Amino acid sequence: MSELSKLAAGEWYQFKDSGVAAQKARAAKLCQEFNQIPATDPAAQTAKMQEILGSYGDNLSVQANFNCDNGRNIHVGDNFLSNYNLTILDIAPVHIGDNVMIGPNVDIYTVNHPLTASGRRANLAQGHPVTIGNDVWIGGKVTITSGVTIGNNVVVAAGAVVTHDVPDNTLVAGVPAKAIRQLEE
């Protein structure tokens, strides 16, 4: 099953598959190269991120450290800003809109594993896309889990664990994240 790009959302695959291993090795090498670029050289950082990502808009800014499983499944819009220590496990696509700010130590996961011991022993996993809309602010130490869609004009409070979709114009917080209040458009 090394043609991972053809996996349907939620389809089971073996995470020790040679295709998965090759994607991770490529991504690990590029992320290591990115993370070694001095912070005083933002042009070099941007160029390396453009090599890692599947697509990107104008005004791309990512701080080290950055880690991902593939990179080519990550698509970010214009005015993307990520603080330190962003991890994106992108076996499935991650689409991030325009004007998105991500705080430090954020994790975005598209992968999940079986709840059964036999499934985990079989090295099974499944991927579900993550989508983040426009004008979103994700606070520090947030975790976004597999299959989540976050709408436009959303604020995710620091430390939240987002396990369900978030509608437009909403502030969410907590573990698991819950709507706190509506935001003005």
Side-chain angles (χ1 to χ4, degrees), residues 139-172:
K141 295 189 178 182
V142 165
T143 299
I144 299 170
T145 62
S146 178
V148 166
T149 295
I150 295 174
N152 297 316
N153 188 35
V154 168
V155 175
V156 181
V161 177
V162 184
T163 60
H164 293 90
D165 292 353
V166 178
D168 293 351
N169 308 308
T170 305
L171 166 65
V172 297

mmCIF file of all heavy atoms in Angstrom, residues 139-172:
data_model
loop_
_atom_site.group_PDB
_atom_site.id
_atom_site.type_symbol
_atom_site.label_atom_id
_atom_site.label_comp_id
_atom_site.label_asym_id
_atom_site.label_seq_id
_atom_site.Cartn_x
_atom_site.Cartn_y
_atom_site.Cartn_z
ATOM 1 N N GLY A 139 -4.111 29.426 19.975
ATOM 2 C CA GLY A 139 -3.232 29.742 21.093
ATOM 3 C C GLY A 139 -2.188 28.657 21.338
ATOM 4 O O GLY A 139 -2.216 27.577 20.752
ATOM 5 N N GLY A 140 -1.271 28.960 22.245
ATOM 6 C CA GLY A 140 -0.187 28.036 22.574
ATOM 7 C C GLY A 140 -0.674 26.732 23.178
ATOM 8 O O GLY A 140 -1.697 26.674 23.850
ATOM 9 N N LYS A 141 0.080 25.682 22.906
ATOM 10 C CA LYS A 141 -0.145 24.337 23.452
ATOM 11 C C LYS A 141 -1.519 23.773 23.107
ATOM 12 O O LYS A 141 -2.093 22.997 23.863
ATOM 13 C CB LYS A 141 0.096 24.305 24.951
ATOM 14 C CG LYS A 141 1.545 24.576 25.302
ATOM 15 C CD LYS A 141 1.835 24.344 26.752
ATOM 16 C CE LYS A 141 3.321 24.602 27.002
ATOM 17 N NZ LYS A 141 3.686 24.355 28.389
ATOM 18 N N VAL A 142 -2.041 24.135 21.949
ATOM 19 C CA VAL A 142 -3.310 23.581 21.468
ATOM 20 C C VAL A 142 -3.020 22.286 20.715
ATOM 21 O O VAL A 142 -2.000 22.156 20.035
ATOM 22 C CB VAL A 142 -4.030 24.595 20.540
ATOM 23 C CG1 VAL A 142 -5.143 23.928 19.735
ATOM 24 C CG2 VAL A 142 -4.568 25.757 21.348
ATOM 25 N N THR A 143 -3.930 21.332 20.838
ATOM 26 C CA THR A 143 -3.896 20.099 20.053
ATOM 27 C C THR A 143 -5.165 20.042 19.221
ATOM 28 O O THR A 143 -6.267 20.220 19.746
ATOM 29 C CB THR A 143 -3.818 18.856 20.960
ATOM 30 O OG1 THR A 143 -2.618 18.929 21.735
ATOM 31 C CG2 THR A 143 -3.821 17.580 20.138
ATOM 32 N N ILE A 144 -5.001 19.803 17.911
ATOM 33 C CA ILE A 144 -6.132 19.646 16.986
ATOM 34 C C ILE A 144 -6.072 18.215 16.475
ATOM 35 O O ILE A 144 -5.058 17.793 15.903
ATOM 36 C CB ILE A 144 -6.052 20.661 15.829
ATOM 37 C CG1 ILE A 144 -6.103 22.091 16.399
ATOM 38 C CG2 ILE A 144 -7.174 20.417 14.827
ATOM 39 C CD1 ILE A 144 -5.789 23.166 15.393
ATOM 40 N N THR A 145 -7.151 17.460 16.690
ATOM 41 C CA THR A 145 -7.138 16.037 16.376
ATOM 42 C C THR A 145 -7.683 15.747 14.975
ATOM 43 O O THR A 145 -8.284 16.596 14.328
ATOM 44 C CB THR A 145 -7.931 15.243 17.433
ATOM 45 O OG1 THR A 145 -9.290 15.672 17.424
ATOM 46 C CG2 THR A 145 -7.331 15.421 18.821
ATOM 47 N N SER A 146 -7.488 14.540 14.572
ATOM 48 C CA SER A 146 -7.819 14.029 13.255
ATOM 49 C C SER A 146 -9.273 14.290 12.865
ATOM 50 O O SER A 146 -10.188 14.066 13.650
ATOM 51 C CB SER A 146 -7.541 12.520 13.265
ATOM 52 O OG SER A 146 -7.858 11.922 12.055
ATOM 53 N N GLY A 147 -9.468 14.797 11.647
ATOM 54 C CA GLY A 147 -10.796 14.976 11.086
ATOM 55 C C GLY A 147 -11.511 16.256 11.453
ATOM 56 O O GLY A 147 -12.646 16.463 11.044
ATOM 57 N N VAL A 148 -10.867 17.143 12.195
ATOM 58 C CA VAL A 148 -11.512 18.362 12.670
ATOM 59 C C VAL A 148 -11.527 19.438 11.582
ATOM 60 O O VAL A 148 -10.545 19.612 10.852
ATOM 61 C CB VAL A 148 -10.797 18.886 13.933
ATOM 62 C CG1 VAL A 148 -11.196 20.310 14.259
ATOM 63 C CG2 VAL A 148 -11.077 17.975 15.112
ATOM 64 N N THR A 149 -12.628 20.174 11.507
ATOM 65 C CA THR A 149 -12.726 21.375 10.682
ATOM 66 C C THR A 149 -12.983 22.555 11.604
ATOM 67 O O THR A 149 -13.924 22.532 12.404
ATOM 68 C CB THR A 149 -13.860 21.260 9.653
ATOM 69 O OG1 THR A 149 -13.546 20.205 8.730
ATOM 70 C CG2 THR A 149 -14.048 22.557 8.884
ATOM 71 N N ILE A 150 -12.139 23.571 11.498
ATOM 72 C CA ILE A 150 -12.283 24.812 12.259
ATOM 73 C C ILE A 150 -12.724 25.882 11.275
ATOM 74 O O ILE A 150 -12.086 26.078 10.242
ATOM 75 C CB ILE A 150 -10.955 25.187 12.946
ATOM 76 C CG1 ILE A 150 -10.600 24.120 13.995
ATOM 77 C CG2 ILE A 150 -11.034 26.572 13.576
ATOM 78 C CD1 ILE A 150 -9.245 24.308 14.640
ATOM 79 N N GLY A 151 -13.805 26.575 11.590
ATOM 80 C CA GLY A 151 -14.376 27.567 10.692
ATOM 81 C C GLY A 151 -13.571 28.849 10.616
ATOM 82 O O GLY A 151 -12.433 28.934 11.091
ATOM 83 N N ASN A 152 -14.178 29.883 10.026
ATOM 84 C CA ASN A 152 -13.557 31.195 9.874
ATOM 85 C C ASN A 152 -13.772 32.031 11.135
ATOM 86 O O ASN A 152 -14.773 31.876 11.828
ATOM 87 C CB ASN A 152 -14.177 31.933 8.685
ATOM 88 C CG ASN A 152 -13.924 31.213 7.382
ATOM 89 O OD1 ASN A 152 -12.831 30.752 7.095
ATOM 90 N ND2 ASN A 152 -14.966 31.095 6.576
ATOM 91 N N ASN A 153 -12.841 32.950 11.391
ATOM 92 C CA ASN A 153 -12.914 33.858 12.531
ATOM 93 C C ASN A 153 -13.128 33.088 13.836
ATOM 94 O O ASN A 153 -14.064 33.320 14.580
ATOM 95 C CB ASN A 153 -14.018 34.908 12.354
ATOM 96 C CG ASN A 153 -13.953 35.960 13.443
ATOM 97 O OD1 ASN A 153 -12.887 36.336 13.907
ATOM 98 N ND2 ASN A 153 -15.113 36.447 13.872
ATOM 99 N N VAL A 154 -12.208 32.160 14.086
ATOM 100 C CA VAL A 154 -12.245 31.337 15.292
ATOM 101 C C VAL A 154 -11.012 31.636 16.121
ATOM 102 O O VAL A 154 -9.919 31.853 15.585
ATOM 103 C CB VAL A 154 -12.303 29.832 14.931
ATOM 104 C CG1 VAL A 154 -12.040 28.950 16.151
ATOM 105 C CG2 VAL A 154 -13.636 29.487 14.291
ATOM 106 N N VAL A 155 -11.188 31.644 17.443
ATOM 107 C CA VAL A 155 -10.069 31.716 18.378
ATOM 108 C C VAL A 155 -10.104 30.443 19.207
ATOM 109 O O VAL A 155 -11.137 30.099 19.802
ATOM 110 C CB VAL A 155 -10.160 32.957 19.296
ATOM 111 C CG1 VAL A 155 -9.045 32.939 20.328
ATOM 112 C CG2 VAL A 155 -10.094 34.239 18.457
ATOM 113 N N VAL A 156 -8.975 29.737 19.230
ATOM 114 C CA VAL A 156 -8.824 28.543 20.048
ATOM 115 C C VAL A 156 -7.909 28.922 21.200
ATOM 116 O O VAL A 156 -6.734 29.240 20.987
ATOM 117 C CB VAL A 156 -8.243 27.362 19.240
ATOM 118 C CG1 VAL A 156 -8.119 26.129 20.126
ATOM 119 C CG2 VAL A 156 -9.094 27.068 18.005
ATOM 120 N N ALA A 157 -8.447 28.912 22.428
ATOM 121 C CA ALA A 157 -7.701 29.350 23.596
ATOM 122 C C ALA A 157 -6.532 28.420 23.889
ATOM 123 O O ALA A 157 -6.571 27.216 23.591
ATOM 124 C CB ALA A 157 -8.627 29.419 24.808
ATOM 125 N N ALA A 158 -5.500 28.976 24.493
ATOM 126 C CA ALA A 158 -4.301 28.212 24.846
ATOM 127 C C ALA A 158 -4.668 26.967 25.638
ATOM 128 O O ALA A 158 -5.537 26.991 26.503
ATOM 129 C CB ALA A 158 -3.350 29.096 25.652
ATOM 130 N N GLY A 159 -3.998 25.870 25.303
ATOM 131 C CA GLY A 159 -4.169 24.621 26.022
ATOM 132 C C GLY A 159 -5.361 23.787 25.617
ATOM 133 O O GLY A 159 -5.546 22.682 26.121
ATOM 134 N N ALA A 160 -6.172 24.259 24.692
ATOM 135 C CA ALA A 160 -7.367 23.524 24.278
ATOM 136 C C ALA A 160 -6.994 22.268 23.498
ATOM 137 O O ALA A 160 -5.962 22.206 22.832
ATOM 138 C CB ALA A 160 -8.278 24.413 23.429
ATOM 139 N N VAL A 161 -7.871 21.276 23.585
ATOM 140 C CA VAL A 161 -7.761 20.074 22.766
ATOM 141 C C VAL A 161 -9.026 20.015 21.913
ATOM 142 O O VAL A 161 -10.127 19.790 22.429
ATOM 143 C CB VAL A 161 -7.617 18.798 23.622
ATOM 144 C CG1 VAL A 161 -7.577 17.564 22.734
ATOM 145 C CG2 VAL A 161 -6.350 18.876 24.482
ATOM 146 N N VAL A 162 -8.856 20.255 20.613
ATOM 147 C CA VAL A 162 -9.993 20.360 19.693
ATOM 148 C C VAL A 162 -10.264 18.978 19.099
ATOM 149 O O VAL A 162 -9.472 18.475 18.311
ATOM 150 C CB VAL A 162 -9.726 21.399 18.586
ATOM 151 C CG1 VAL A 162 -10.954 21.557 17.705
ATOM 152 C CG2 VAL A 162 -9.313 22.736 19.186
ATOM 153 N N THR A 163 -11.401 18.383 19.506
ATOM 154 C CA THR A 163 -11.762 17.041 19.069
ATOM 155 C C THR A 163 -12.987 17.014 18.160
ATOM 156 O O THR A 163 -13.317 15.963 17.621
ATOM 157 C CB THR A 163 -12.037 16.128 20.285
ATOM 158 O OG1 THR A 163 -13.106 16.687 21.043
ATOM 159 C CG2 THR A 163 -10.793 15.989 21.151
ATOM 160 N N HIS A 164 -13.672 18.152 18.023
ATOM 161 C CA HIS A 164 -14.867 18.256 17.184
ATOM 162 C C HIS A 164 -14.801 19.537 16.351
ATOM 163 O O HIS A 164 -14.079 20.468 16.698
ATOM 164 C CB HIS A 164 -16.138 18.277 18.048
ATOM 165 C CG HIS A 164 -16.374 16.987 18.754
ATOM 166 N ND1 HIS A 164 -15.865 16.723 20.010
ATOM 167 C CD2 HIS A 164 -17.037 15.879 18.379
ATOM 168 C CE1 HIS A 164 -16.216 15.510 20.386
ATOM 169 N NE2 HIS A 164 -16.923 14.970 19.411
ATOM 170 N N ASP A 165 -15.592 19.585 15.293
ATOM 171 C CA ASP A 165 -15.630 20.761 14.434
ATOM 172 C C ASP A 165 -16.006 22.011 15.230
ATOM 173 O O ASP A 165 -16.767 21.938 16.196
ATOM 174 C CB ASP A 165 -16.633 20.565 13.301
ATOM 175 C CG ASP A 165 -16.205 19.492 12.309
ATOM 176 O OD1 ASP A 165 -15.060 18.985 12.420
ATOM 177 O OD2 ASP A 165 -17.010 19.167 11.419
ATOM 178 N N VAL A 166 -15.465 23.145 14.783
ATOM 179 C CA VAL A 166 -15.733 24.432 15.417
ATOM 180 C C VAL A 166 -16.390 25.335 14.379
ATOM 181 O O VAL A 166 -15.814 25.569 13.311
ATOM 182 C CB VAL A 166 -14.426 25.086 15.934
ATOM 183 C CG1 VAL A 166 -14.715 26.450 16.550
ATOM 184 C CG2 VAL A 166 -13.709 24.170 16.922
ATOM 185 N N PRO A 167 -17.590 25.871 14.676
ATOM 186 C CA PRO A 167 -18.267 26.740 13.702
ATOM 187 C C PRO A 167 -17.603 28.111 13.600
ATOM 188 O O PRO A 167 -16.839 28.523 14.490
ATOM 189 C CB PRO A 167 -19.692 26.855 14.246
ATOM 190 C CG PRO A 167 -19.588 26.549 15.689
ATOM 191 C CD PRO A 167 -18.403 25.637 15.869
ATOM 192 N N ASP A 168 -17.917 28.830 12.546
ATOM 193 C CA ASP A 168 -17.425 30.196 12.342
ATOM 194 C C ASP A 168 -17.718 31.063 13.564
ATOM 195 O O ASP A 168 -18.699 30.838 14.283
ATOM 196 C CB ASP A 168 -18.120 30.840 11.135
ATOM 197 C CG ASP A 168 -17.760 30.202 9.804
ATOM 198 O OD1 ASP A 168 -16.843 29.364 9.746
ATOM 199 O OD2 ASP A 168 -18.424 30.559 8.806
ATOM 200 N N ASN A 169 -16.881 32.082 13.746
ATOM 201 C CA ASN A 169 -17.120 33.145 14.729
ATOM 202 C C ASN A 169 -17.287 32.615 16.159
ATOM 203 O O ASN A 169 -18.197 33.017 16.885
ATOM 204 C CB ASN A 169 -18.353 33.977 14.341
ATOM 205 C CG ASN A 169 -18.257 34.478 12.916
ATOM 206 O OD1 ASN A 169 -17.259 35.075 12.529
ATOM 207 N ND2 ASN A 169 -19.279 34.217 12.124
ATOM 208 N N THR A 170 -16.384 31.727 16.559
ATOM 209 C CA THR A 170 -16.507 31.094 17.867
ATOM 210 C C THR A 170 -15.182 31.137 18.616
ATOM 211 O O THR A 170 -14.122 30.934 18.028
ATOM 212 C CB THR A 170 -16.952 29.621 17.707
ATOM 213 O OG1 THR A 170 -18.158 29.571 16.954
ATOM 214 C CG2 THR A 170 -17.167 28.948 19.044
ATOM 215 N N LEU A 171 -15.249 31.347 19.923
ATOM 216 C CA LEU A 171 -14.128 31.177 20.835
ATOM 217 C C LEU A 171 -14.324 29.837 21.515
ATOM 218 O O LEU A 171 -15.393 29.584 22.099
ATOM 219 C CB LEU A 171 -14.108 32.293 21.885
ATOM 220 C CG LEU A 171 -13.195 32.085 23.099
ATOM 221 C CD1 LEU A 171 -11.732 32.043 22.693
ATOM 222 C CD2 LEU A 171 -13.433 33.176 24.141
ATOM 223 N N VAL A 172 -13.333 28.952 21.416
ATOM 224 C CA VAL A 172 -13.390 27.662 22.096
ATOM 225 C C VAL A 172 -12.230 27.551 23.072
ATOM 226 O O VAL A 172 -11.162 28.122 22.860
ATOM 227 C CB VAL A 172 -13.385 26.459 21.117
ATOM 228 C CG1 VAL A 172 -14.616 26.473 20.238
ATOM 229 C CG2 VAL A 172 -12.127 26.409 20.282
#
